[in-house]
Amino acid sequence: MEEKYKDLPNAVGPYRVLSRLGRGGMGEVFAAKDPSCGRLLAVKRIRPELQNNKTIQSRFLREANVASALTHPAIVPILSIQMEPPEVYYTMPCIEGETLRQILRVTREQEKNGELQHPIGRSIPSLARIFLQVCQAIAYTHSKGIIHRDLKPENIIVGKYGEVIILDWGIADFIDHLKENDTLPGKV
Protein backbone atom coordinates (compact mmCIF):
# COMPACT_ATOMS: atom_id res chain seq x y z
CA MET A 1 0.00 0.00 0.00
CA GLU A 2 1.27 3.49 -0.86
CA GLU A 3 2.53 5.62 2.05
CA LYS A 4 -0.12 8.21 1.14
CA TYR A 5 -2.86 5.73 2.12
CA LYS A 6 -1.09 3.93 4.97
CA ASP A 7 -3.06 4.15 8.21
CA LEU A 8 -5.70 6.36 6.60
CA PRO A 9 -8.59 6.88 9.02
CA ASN A 10 -12.17 6.59 7.76
CA ALA A 11 -13.12 9.84 9.47
CA VAL A 12 -11.89 12.66 11.67
CA GLY A 13 -14.80 13.86 13.76
CA PRO A 14 -17.83 14.01 11.47
CA TYR A 15 -15.66 14.47 8.34
CA ARG A 16 -15.20 11.52 5.95
CA VAL A 17 -11.51 11.24 5.03
CA LEU A 18 -10.76 10.97 1.30
CA SER A 19 -6.96 11.13 1.20
CA ARG A 20 -3.87 12.29 3.10
CA LEU A 21 -2.54 15.65 1.92
CA GLY A 22 0.49 15.83 4.17
CA ARG A 23 2.16 14.75 7.37
CA GLY A 24 4.57 16.67 9.57
CA GLY A 25 6.29 16.34 12.92
CA MET A 26 3.20 17.19 14.94
CA GLY A 27 0.19 16.73 12.69
CA GLU A 28 -1.32 15.35 9.54
CA VAL A 29 -3.69 16.89 7.02
CA PHE A 30 -6.47 15.09 5.15
CA ALA A 31 -8.82 15.96 2.33
CA ALA A 32 -12.26 15.26 3.75
CA LYS A 33 -15.93 15.69 2.96
CA ASP A 34 -18.20 17.68 5.26
CA PRO A 35 -21.37 15.58 5.64
CA SER A 36 -23.55 18.58 6.51
CA CYS A 37 -22.99 20.42 3.23
CA GLY A 38 -20.96 18.08 1.02
CA ARG A 39 -18.08 20.55 0.84
CA LEU A 40 -14.47 19.40 0.41
CA LEU A 41 -12.32 20.46 3.38
CA ALA A 42 -8.82 20.02 4.71
CA VAL A 43 -8.76 18.61 8.24
CA LYS A 44 -5.58 18.89 10.29
CA ARG A 45 -5.21 16.76 13.41
CA ILE A 46 -2.53 15.83 15.86
CA ARG A 47 -0.81 12.60 14.81
CA PRO A 48 -2.41 9.68 16.74
CA GLU A 49 0.74 8.73 18.64
CA LEU A 50 1.01 12.32 19.96
CA GLN A 51 -2.65 12.99 20.82
CA ASN A 52 -2.17 12.54 24.57
CA ASN A 53 0.86 14.82 24.75
CA LYS A 54 -0.33 18.01 26.49
CA THR A 55 2.55 20.09 25.13
CA ILE A 56 1.76 19.05 21.56
CA GLN A 57 -1.96 19.71 22.13
CA SER A 58 -1.15 23.18 23.42
CA ARG A 59 1.14 23.99 20.45
CA PHE A 60 -1.38 22.57 17.97
CA LEU A 61 -4.25 24.63 19.40
CA ARG A 62 -2.01 27.71 19.51
CA GLU A 63 -1.39 27.24 15.76
CA ALA A 64 -5.14 27.03 15.13
CA ASN A 65 -5.87 30.08 17.29
CA VAL A 66 -3.12 32.20 15.72
CA ALA A 67 -4.29 31.35 12.20
CA SER A 68 -7.95 31.87 13.11
CA ALA A 69 -7.12 35.41 14.28
CA LEU A 70 -6.19 36.31 10.69
CA THR A 71 -8.56 37.21 7.87
CA HIS A 72 -6.77 37.84 4.59
CA PRO A 73 -7.22 36.45 1.05
CA ALA A 74 -3.67 35.02 1.08
CA ILE A 75 -3.98 33.28 4.46
CA VAL A 76 -5.75 29.95 4.74
CA PRO A 77 -8.81 30.55 6.96
CA ILE A 78 -9.66 28.29 9.89
CA LEU A 79 -13.30 27.20 9.63
CA SER A 80 -13.68 25.27 12.90
CA ILE A 81 -11.58 24.05 15.83
CA GLN A 82 -12.29 20.90 17.84
CA MET A 83 -10.45 21.36 21.13
CA GLU A 84 -11.73 18.43 23.18
CA PRO A 85 -9.92 15.09 23.19
CA PRO A 86 -9.99 12.36 22.04
CA GLU A 87 -9.85 14.13 18.66
CA VAL A 88 -8.20 17.53 18.52
CA TYR A 89 -8.36 18.97 15.00
CA TYR A 90 -9.29 21.97 12.91
CA THR A 91 -10.75 22.48 9.45
CA MET A 92 -9.78 24.71 6.55
CA PRO A 93 -10.77 25.02 2.90
CA CYS A 94 -9.07 22.39 0.74
CA ILE A 95 -6.92 24.33 -1.71
CA GLU A 96 -6.07 22.72 -5.01
CA GLY A 97 -2.81 23.82 -6.54
CA GLU A 98 0.95 23.54 -6.33
CA THR A 99 3.40 24.77 -3.76
CA LEU A 100 5.82 27.43 -4.88
CA ARG A 101 8.58 24.90 -4.21
CA GLN A 102 6.98 22.41 -6.66
CA ILE A 103 6.64 25.13 -9.30
CA LEU A 104 10.27 26.19 -8.97
CA ARG A 105 11.57 22.60 -8.93
CA VAL A 106 9.60 21.62 -12.05
CA THR A 107 10.72 24.79 -13.85
CA ARG A 108 14.37 24.13 -12.98
CA GLU A 109 14.16 20.51 -14.21
CA GLN A 110 12.40 21.54 -17.42
CA GLU A 111 15.01 24.22 -18.04
CA LYS A 112 17.82 21.66 -17.61
CA ASN A 113 16.11 19.31 -20.08
CA GLY A 114 15.41 22.03 -22.64
CA GLU A 115 11.65 21.55 -22.25
CA LEU A 116 8.89 24.11 -22.27
CA GLN A 117 8.90 25.53 -18.76
CA HIS A 118 6.10 25.75 -16.20
CA PRO A 119 3.86 28.74 -17.11
CA ILE A 120 4.27 30.35 -13.70
CA GLY A 121 7.89 29.41 -13.05
CA ARG A 122 9.08 30.83 -16.37
CA SER A 123 7.21 34.12 -15.94
CA ILE A 124 8.94 36.90 -14.00
CA PRO A 125 5.64 38.88 -13.80
CA SER A 126 3.83 35.83 -12.35
CA LEU A 127 6.57 35.21 -9.78
CA ALA A 128 6.62 38.93 -8.88
CA ARG A 129 2.82 38.86 -8.38
CA ILE A 130 3.19 35.86 -6.03
CA PHE A 131 5.97 37.63 -4.14
CA LEU A 132 3.89 40.81 -3.75
CA GLN A 133 0.85 38.88 -2.50
CA VAL A 134 3.01 37.10 0.08
CA CYS A 135 4.51 40.44 1.16
CA GLN A 136 1.04 41.98 1.53
CA ALA A 137 -0.17 39.01 3.62
CA ILE A 138 2.90 39.11 5.85
CA ALA A 139 2.53 42.89 6.30
CA TYR A 140 -1.07 42.24 7.35
CA THR A 141 -0.01 39.56 9.89
CA HIS A 142 2.60 41.90 11.33
CA SER A 143 -0.04 44.63 11.66
CA LYS A 144 -2.05 42.13 13.73
CA GLY A 145 0.99 41.43 15.93
CA ILE A 146 1.67 37.96 14.49
CA ILE A 147 4.85 36.60 12.91
CA HIS A 148 4.84 33.43 10.74
CA ARG A 149 8.44 32.29 11.44
CA ASP A 150 8.44 29.51 8.81
CA LEU A 151 7.84 31.28 5.52
CA LYS A 152 9.31 29.19 2.69
CA PRO A 153 8.27 28.03 -0.80
CA GLU A 154 6.72 24.78 0.46
CA ASN A 155 4.37 26.81 2.71
CA ILE A 156 3.04 28.89 -0.18
CA ILE A 157 0.42 27.38 -2.49
CA VAL A 158 -0.54 28.80 -5.84
CA GLY A 159 -4.09 27.65 -6.44
CA LYS A 160 -5.40 26.44 -9.76
CA TYR A 161 -7.01 29.87 -10.33
CA GLY A 162 -3.84 31.79 -9.45
CA GLU A 163 -4.73 32.48 -5.81
CA VAL A 164 -1.74 32.64 -3.46
CA ILE A 165 -2.20 31.12 0.00
CA ILE A 166 0.24 30.96 2.92
CA LEU A 167 0.01 27.74 4.93
CA ASP A 168 1.51 26.15 8.04
CA TRP A 169 1.21 28.50 10.98
CA GLY A 170 2.68 25.84 13.30
CA ILE A 171 5.45 27.98 14.76
CA ALA A 172 3.78 31.35 14.27
CA ASP A 173 3.45 33.44 17.37
CA PHE A 174 2.24 36.76 18.68
CA ILE A 175 5.07 39.30 18.50
CA ASP A 176 4.39 40.50 22.07
CA HIS A 177 4.73 36.91 23.31
CA LEU A 178 8.10 36.60 21.57
CA LYS A 179 9.32 39.84 23.18
CA GLU A 180 8.30 38.59 26.64
CA ASN A 181 10.19 35.33 26.15
CA ASP A 182 13.23 36.91 24.50
CA THR A 183 16.36 35.21 25.80
CA LEU A 184 19.04 37.20 24.00
CA PRO A 185 22.41 37.24 25.75
CA GLY A 186 22.79 40.18 28.12
CA LYS A 187 19.05 40.69 28.55
CA VAL A 188 18.05 41.14 32.18
Side-chain angles (χ1 to χ4, degrees), residues 72-105:
H72 188 278
I75 297 171
V76 66
I78 303 301
L79 302 174
S80 67
I81 303 172
Q82 169 62 36
M83 296 186 217
E84 299 300 319
E87 288 190 301
V88 176
Y89 62 88
Y90 61 89
T91 63
M92 310 164 275
C94 191
I95 299 161
E96 297 179 57
E98 300 172 278
T99 67
L100 184 55
R101 180 183 175 133
Q102 290 168 325
I103 291 169
L104 295 174
R105 185 182 312 134

Side-chain angles (χ1 to χ4, degrees), residues 62 145 147 149 172-182:
R62 182 169 188 74
I147 187 165
R149 300 186 341 160
D173 211 340
F174 292 94
I175 294 170
D176 290 343
H177 184 258
L178 292 171
K179 288 178 185 173
E180 291 169 11
N181 294 321
D182 194 356

Side-chain angles (χ1 to χ4, degrees), residues 23 56 109 137 140 157:
R23 184 177 172 103
I56 296 291
E109 287 301 315
Y140 165 78
I157 285 189

Side-chain angles (χ1 to χ4, degrees), residues 10-187:
N10 291 325
V12 174
Y15 307 103
R16 185 171 55 89
V17 172
L18 305 173
S19 65
R20 179 176 280 119
L21 299 174
R23 184 177 172 103
M26 178 172 60
E28 53 191 348
V29 182
F30 302 101
K33 193 123 202 194
D34 183 338
S36 66
C37 64
R39 177 174 42 185
L40 182 65
L41 297 173
V43 178
K44 184 170 185 176
R45 74 172 185 183
I46 297 173
R47 289 183 13 210
E49 68 272 19
L50 301 173
Q51 285 180 358
N52 294 324
N53 183 315
K54 296 296 181 196
T55 302
I56 296 291
Q57 281 182 15
S58 176
R59 288 172 56 200
F60 184 83
L61 290 172
R62 182 169 188 74
E63 171 184 358
N65 287 319
V66 166
S68 69
L70 301 169
T71 304
H72 188 278
I75 297 171
V76 66
I78 303 301
L79 302 174
S80 67
I81 303 172
Q82 169 62 36
M83 296 186 217
E84 299 300 319
E87 288 190 301
V88 176
Y89 62 88
Y90 61 89
T91 63
M92 310 164 275
C94 191
I95 299 161
E96 297 179 57
E98 300 172 278
T99 67
L100 184 55
R101 180 183 175 133
Q102 290 168 325
I103 291 169
L104 295 174
R105 185 182 312 134
V106 165
T107 302
R108 200 172 317 122
E109 287 301 315
Q110 289 172 334
E111 185 178 44
K112 284 181 191 176
N113 297 330
E115 300 169 357
L116 184 61
Q117 296 170 23
H118 192 287
I120 294 173
R122 72 175 182 218
S123 169
I124 298 298
S126 293
L127 292 171
R129 182 186 60 79
I130 292 166
F131 178 72
L132 287 173
Q133 286 182 317
V134 169
C135 289
Q136 289 169 345
I138 294 302
Y140 165 78
T141 66
H142 292 178
S143 77
K144 297 296 183 184
I146 295 171
I147 187 165
H148 188 281
R149 300 186 341 160
D150 196 22
L151 193 59
K152 55 190 176 187
E154 49 267 38
N155 288 340
I156 299 167
I157 285 189
V158 179
K160 66 186 214 178
Y161 301 108
E163 65 274 28
V164 176
I165 308 288
I166 300 171
L167 305 173
D168 197 353
W169 296 84
I171 62 172
D173 211 340
F174 292 94
I175 294 170
D176 290 343
H177 184 258
L178 292 171
K179 288 178 185 173
E180 291 169 11
N181 294 321
D182 194 356
T183 56
L184 292 175
K187 182 164 178 160

